Amino acid sequence: MQREQISVFDMFKIGIGPSSSHTLGPWRAAQQFAEGLEQQGVLLLVEQVKILLYGSLAKTGRGHGTDIAILLGLSGDDPVTFEVDQIVPKIAAITNTHKLLLAGTQEIDFSVVDDLLFLFNESLPFHPNAVTFQAFLNNGQAVSDTFYSIGGGFVVKEGGSGQTKQEVDLPFPIDTAADLLHWCIKTGLKISEVVMENELAWRTEQETRQGVSNIFKAIKECIYRGCHTTGQLPGGLNVARRAFKLNSKLIGNNSYTSYEEWVAAIRQTGDGFKNILDWVSCFALAVNEENASFGRVVTAPTNGAAGVIPAVLQYYIAFCDGDSDQKILQFLFTASEIGSIFKKGATISAAMGGCQAEIGVSSAMAAAALTECMGGTQRQVLMAAEIAMEHHLGLTCDPIGGLVQIPCIERNTMGAIKAITASQLALQSNPEKAKVSLDAVVKTMWQTALDMNSKYKETSDGGLAINIPISLPEC
Ligand code: SF4
C-alpha cells in the first residue's frame, strides 16, 4: 500500500513567508476551520473564537508570524492571493478594533491577547506543531478542532486524513528511491518523465504545464524582487538585506527593468568561479530576505529553505543551458520527486527533524534536479541527492529570536552551493560504485531526527538561539 500521494504542486506551493510549518500551515488550518464552521451551518452562530498554540508553534510562533497567519486564515484570506502589503494594516485593524470578520462573513469580538494563546509549556503527542481552534456559539454549544502543521505547509486535522487532493491511480506509485529507480529502469524514462506521467493522473498536461509556469513565475519574481529591495528585515534583530548590495556590486548598476533583461546582464558578468559563487549566494539571499519580510515565496519544500532550489535553478538558467520552459519543468519535477521521497520516508518538518529536514532536503532536491538537467543518468540523479543529504545529516534548527533569519538566510546559500557540488560529484562518478544509497540516507536522516534533542527542533531553546544575546521587543 502506497504511503501518500504527493504531487509537484504539493511540494511547490505559492504562499507567504516566513515559514511553511509556522505560517502557511497554520494559515491553511485556520482557513479550514472557518470554512468548516460555514459547512456545518454554524458560522453565523459564532460569538467567540479561541486559538491554542502548542509546542514549537507556541515557542517560535511569534517570530514565524503564526499569529498573523491565523488571523488572516480565520478572516478567510488566502495566502496565494492575499496582497502582502495589506498584511500590516489588516492585522493592525483586528488588533486595534478588537473585531474579526470570521470567514469574511461573521463579525466577532476578538482580542489578540486573550483569544490567541501561546502555550509554551504544553505540547500534543502527535506532532510538535499543533493548534486547536474553539468556536463558542450563541446557543451554548462549541465547536473544537485540532490541526497539526507537519511541514512544508501540509496540514493534518485530528481525526481526518488531511488529504484534500483526490486519490488517483498513479501509473508509477513511488515511496522510495528504489521504487523510482525500478520504474525508470522498467520504462527507460527519466525521473522527470515518470513524474509527468503521474501528474497526468490528476490533471491534463496543459494544466500541469500552466501550473509549473505559475510556480516558476512566483520564483523568478521573488528572486528579482529580493535583489532589488533595500532595507532591514522585520522582527527586531535589525538584520540588513544583503542581496540588493551584492547584486549591485556584481552587475555594476541596478537599472534593469525586467527579469529577462537582468538575467541577460548577469550572463555578461562572466563564468569565473568566484563570480558564480557570489551570484548563487545572491539568489538565495534574495529569496530568503523576501521570505523573512512576509513576502510571496514558493515552498521548496519549506519556506525557511525556500532559497536553495530557486538559487540552483537560477544558476542553471543564467550560467548553464536552462533557459527554456521544458528545462525548468524538468528541473522542478525532478526536485519534487526527491522531496516526496524524503517526506514519505523521513520528514520535511524542522520541528520533527531539525534543519536537515529543511535545508538538507532542499539541497538534495536541487542536486538531483540539476544533475538530471545536466544530462546525468537516473542513478547519478539519485546519487546527487544522496550526497547532498549525507553532508547535511544532523543539521540543527536553532533560529535566533525564533525568526527565520539567522542562521536561516545564509544557510540557504550553503544548501545551494552544496547542491551544485553534489551534482558535479555525481556527474563525475560511477553510481554503481556508491557505498550509500539514497534510501539509506533517508533512513539515516529519520533516525537522526528521532535521536535529536528537541532543543534543536525549531524551539529556539538551544544552539545559536541561546548563545547570541539579543533583546527583542514583544511583538
Ligand atoms: S534553522 Fe533551518 S530549519 Fe530552522 S527555521 Fe532556519 S532554515 Fe528553517
Side-chain angles (χ1 to χ4, degrees):
M1 164 115 174
Q2 204 192 353
R3 283 185 197 144
E4 192 179 355
Q5 294 188 338
I6 300 177
S7 154
V8 65
F9 301 110
D10 297 317
M11 296 310 293
F12 297 115
K13 294 187 284 291
I14 299 171
I16 290 176
S19 168
S20 48
S21 57
H22 287 55
T23 318
L24 184 59
W27 189 323
R28 288 290 186 209
Q31 255 184 316
Q32 282 185 34
F33 179 69
E35 285 165 10
L37 294 171
E38 198 161 14
Q39 285 158 9
Q40 293 165 54
V42 298
L43 179 63
L44 300 181
L45 306 181
V46 178
E47 288 187 322
Q48 188 188 16
V49 169
K50 275 196 183 290
I51 304 107
L52 311 176
L53 295 168
Y54 298 92
S56 174
L57 282 190
K59 292 189 175 192
T60 59
R62 282 200 201 283
H64 286 55
T66 305
D67 42 357
I68 293 170
I70 282 178
L71 297 184
L72 295 171
L74 286 175
S75 301
D77 295 314
D78 192 279
V80 177
T81 53
F82 190 73
E83 292 295 337
V84 292
D85 57 4
Q86 291 305 306
I87 294 176
V88 171
K90 178 133 192 184
I91 297 302
I94 295 170
T95 307
N96 297 334
T97 62
H98 301 283
K99 298 282 183 197
L100 188 147
L101 201 57
L102 193 59
T105 304
Q106 170 74 345
E107 186 175 274
I108 57 169
D109 292 334
F110 189 86
S111 161
V112 294
V113 176
D114 299 328
D115 295 328
L116 181 49
L117 304 175
F118 290 78
L119 305 178
F120 297 104
N121 298 314
E122 291 184 39
S123 45
L124 300 186
F126 176 70
H127 194 281
N129 293 334
V131 52
T132 297
F133 297 91
Q134 300 169 328
F136 300 94
L137 314 182
N138 63 10
N139 59 10
Q141 295 187 333
V143 178
S144 175
D145 282 321
T146 295
F147 293 82
Y148 300 95
S149 179
I150 59 173
F154 290 85
V155 170
V156 175
K157 183 177 167 185
E158 196 158 80
S161 70
Q163 281 282 359
T164 50
K165 201 165 74 279
Q166 181 198 350
E167 290 278 316
V168 292
D169 284 330
L170 296 176
F172 303 122
I174 296 161
D175 282 334
T176 64
D179 294 339
L180 176 57
L181 188 59
H182 163 79
W183 293 122
C184 289
I185 291 169
K186 191 165 179 186
T187 61
L189 295 174
K190 294 180 181 136
I191 289 172
S192 60
E193 291 168 338
V194 167
V195 175
M196 177 60 105
E197 292 302 314
N198 277 345
E199 292 297 324
L200 294 180
W202 279 296
R203 60 192 83 72
T204 66
E205 183 168 339
Q206 193 188 1
E207 288 166 338
T208 302
R209 288 184 183 277
Q210 184 57 52
V212 170
S213 170
N214 295 343
I215 295 289
F216 177 62
K217 181 169 180 289
I219 287 176
K220 73 179 185 183
E221 286 176 355
C222 183
I223 298 177
Y224 187 73
R225 221 172 30 249
C227 283
H228 295 85
T229 306
T230 54
Q232 278 195 346
L233 303 178
L237 278 182
N238 299 327
V239 173
R241 282 177 175 257
R242 285 186 286 176
F244 177 88
K245 274 193 183 163
L246 187 51
N247 176 58
S248 306
K249 195 170 169 187
L250 292 171
I251 214 158
N253 73 60
N254 230 338
S255 59
Y256 302 98
T257 54
S258 72
Y259 167 84
E260 287 71 23
E261 207 181 303
W262 176 64
V263 173
I266 291 171
R267 290 196 187 102
Q268 298 302 316
T269 63
D271 58 1
F273 179 71
K274 282 187 194 167
N275 184 55
I276 290 181
L277 202 56
D278 280 342
W279 274 117
V280 173
S281 292
C282 186
F283 302 146
L285 291 175
V287 171
N288 289 87
E289 288 168 1
E290 280 298 293
N291 182 58
S293 309
F294 292 89
R296 176 141 287 123
V297 295
V298 173
T299 61
T302 66
N303 279 23
V308 173
I309 290 168
V312 177
L313 175 57
Q314 189 60 52
Y315 154 77
Y316 176 56
I317 290 170
F319 296 104
C320 308
D321 64 346
D323 202 0
S324 79
D325 291 347
Q326 181 58 31
K327 290 283 188 182
I328 290 162
L329 181 135
Q330 190 179 355
F331 189 101
L332 292 175
F333 272 12
T334 307
S336 157
E337 194 56 52
I338 299 301
S340 299
I341 288 169
F342 275 102
K343 184 172 186 305
K344 290 169 190 168
T347 179
I348 58 168
S349 163
M352 291 292 274
C355 200
Q356 57 174 355
E358 289 209 16
I359 296 289
V361 172
S362 63
S363 187
M365 292 165 71
L370 184 62
T371 306
E372 177 171 313
C373 289
M374 296 296 279
T377 65
Q378 296 98 328
R379 287 179 196 273
Q380 284 174 318
V381 172
L382 300 181
M383 185 184 193
E386 184 284 312
I387 293 171
M389 174 51 81
E390 187 179 323
H391 304 289
H392 281 95
L393 287 173
L395 190 64
T396 58
C397 169
D398 51 357
I400 296 176
L403 294 161
V404 193
Q405 296 181 14
I406 306 172
C408 319
I409 296 173
E410 280 182 2
R411 196 162 277 181
N412 279 262
T413 69
M414 301 296 147
I417 296 299
K418 275 196 205 177
I420 296 170
T421 308
S423 171
Q424 200 56 30
L425 262 177
L427 286 166
Q428 298 293 352
S429 300
N430 178 357
E432 306 284 349
K433 296 197 170 162
K435 303 284 186 212
V436 184
S437 69
L438 177 55
D439 284 330
V441 93
V442 171
K443 183 179 171 190
T444 307
M445 190 270 233
W446 180 232
Q447 288 172 343
T448 308
L450 295 176
D451 289 341
M452 193 182 275
N453 190 302
S454 67
K455 286 193 291 189
Y456 305 113
K457 294 182 181 177
E458 212 163 9
T459 56
S460 290
D461 284 341
L464 281 176
I466 61 165
N467 284 320
I468 306 300
I470 50 154
S471 152
L472 284 178
E474 276 293 303
C475 54

